[in-house]
Amino acid sequence: MGQPATLVVLFGAAAVLALAGPFGTDDLLGLGPRFAYWLAICFPTYAAGVIIAVLMDRRRADRPKPLPEAAFVALQAIATGVAVSALVLAVNFVAFGWWPDSSEAPVFFATIFAISLIVTVVLHVARSPGAKAGPVAPAVPAPPSILDRLPFDKRGTLLALSVEDHYVRVRTAAGSEMLLMRLTDAIREVGDTPGAQVHRSHWVSFDAITSAQRAGDRAILTLRDGSEVPVSRANVAKIREAGFLPR
C-alpha cells in the first residue's frame, strides 16, 4: 500500500474517475469534491482487497488440502465484494446521505461484486509465481582474462598453464602460446575457471582432465588434448578432493 508506484496508480485512478464522473457523480459534485470522493473510494477499497488477499493466502497455506484455484479466487472475490460494498455504502451515506432502496440494491451490489471479481482475478494472476519472472537464463561465466593475451586463433577453452624457463605455456583447446610472465600471475588471470595448481610448474583446469592415475606417492593427469601433467606429492590431495582419485 505504501509503495510509491501503488500510490501513483491510486491517485491516477481517482483522477480519471473524477474527470469521467461515472455513476452520476458528475451531476452531484464539482471536480474538486469529486476527486476527493473517488480518493475516499479508491484507497480504502484497495486496502481492503489487499488485506483480504493476504489473510486468505495465509489461511490457504495452513490448510492440509488447499482449495482448487477457481474456488479460492471465487471466495476471495466474494469476501472482497462484501468488504468493498460496506465501504462504498459508508462513503455514499456520508457524502450524499444515500442508501440503496430495494429497486437500486440489486444493481448496486451486482456492480460492486462484478468489479471485485475482475480486480481479484487480475491481482491473483499478477501475484502468481509464474507471472513475477520468466525463466532465468543461467549465468555465463566470463572467459578468463589470460585469454586476452593470446592471438585470436589460440583463444579457446583453457586447459592448462605450464612453466617453461621464464615463460608460461598457455594451453587451450585451440592450441598453445608462450607468455613472458610468472606462473603465479598467470594463475591469477584464470578467473573463475575451476582448477588447481598441481605442481610448482603446472596449473590445470578440472574440466580439461580426462583421467588421473597414481604414480607412487604422486599422480599423472591426462588432459583432453592428450598431454600429461604431473601432480606433486603435496598436491595429490587437491586432485583427490576434486574427485579424480579414489579417497
Side-chain angles (χ1 to χ4, degrees):
M1 181 70 182
Q3 294 293 326
T6 301
L7 297 177
V8 169
V9 169
L10 291 174
F11 271 104
V16 171
L17 291 167
L19 292 171
F23 306 112
T25 53
D26 55 340
D27 295 328
L28 297 171
L29 298 169
L31 182 59
R34 201 156 66 235
F35 180 59
Y37 168 82
W38 285 111
L39 283 176
I41 293 290
C42 290
F43 275 82
T45 54
Y46 174 80
V50 170
I51 291 170
I52 289 170
V54 171
L55 292 177
M56 290 192 67
D57 281 344
R58 290 178 181 174
R59 290 293 300 274
R60 186 190 195 190
D62 294 337
R63 289 176 60 91
K65 185 177 180 181
L67 287 172
E69 203 72 16
F72 177 77
V73 173
L75 285 176
Q76 186 174 326
I78 292 171
T80 303
V82 171
V84 170
S85 296
L87 289 169
V88 174
L89 283 172
V91 172
N92 282 342
F93 187 77
V94 171
F96 309 119
W98 178 82
W99 195 265
D101 57 29
S102 58
S103 63
E104 296 171 318
V107 175
F108 172 81
F109 287 111
T111 302
I112 294 293
F113 276 83
I115 294 173
S116 298
L117 177 60
I118 293 170
V119 173
T120 299
V121 171
V122 170
L123 291 178
H124 183 76
V125 171
R127 294 171 66 235
S128 63
K132 292 179 181 179
V136 178
V140 178
S145 60
I146 195 168
L147 297 182
D148 295 337
R149 297 176 178 269
L150 307 183
F152 285 105
D153 61 336
K154 301 290 181 65
R155 297 183 186 183
T157 303
L158 184 61
L159 303 182
L161 307 172
S162 299
V163 174
E164 296 185 17
D165 295 328
H166 298 296
Y167 291 82
V168 171
R169 181 179 293 278
V170 181
R171 276 182 280 169
T172 73
S176 67
E177 185 73 15
M178 300 284 280
L179 299 178
L180 181 59
M181 61 189 309
R182 296 182 301 176
L183 181 62
T184 53
D185 294 333
I187 292 174
R188 276 197 290 268
E189 294 189 16
V190 303
D192 297 328
T193 305
Q197 183 173 0
V198 296
H199 187 279
R200 66 179 181 179
S201 300
H202 301 281
W203 175 95
V204 295
S205 165
F206 288 154
D207 292 337
I209 300 173
T210 58
S211 66
Q213 57 184 4
R214 293 299 299 265
D217 56 357
R218 295 173 173 78
I220 300 293
L221 302 177
T222 302
L223 306 188
R224 68 171 70 171
D225 63 352
S227 61
E228 294 184 342
V229 174
V231 181
S232 64
R233 178 173 51 192
N235 290 291
V236 166
K238 295 180 184 178
I239 300 303
R240 185 183 298 115
E241 289 299 318
F244 295 102
L245 289 173
R247 292 180 180 275

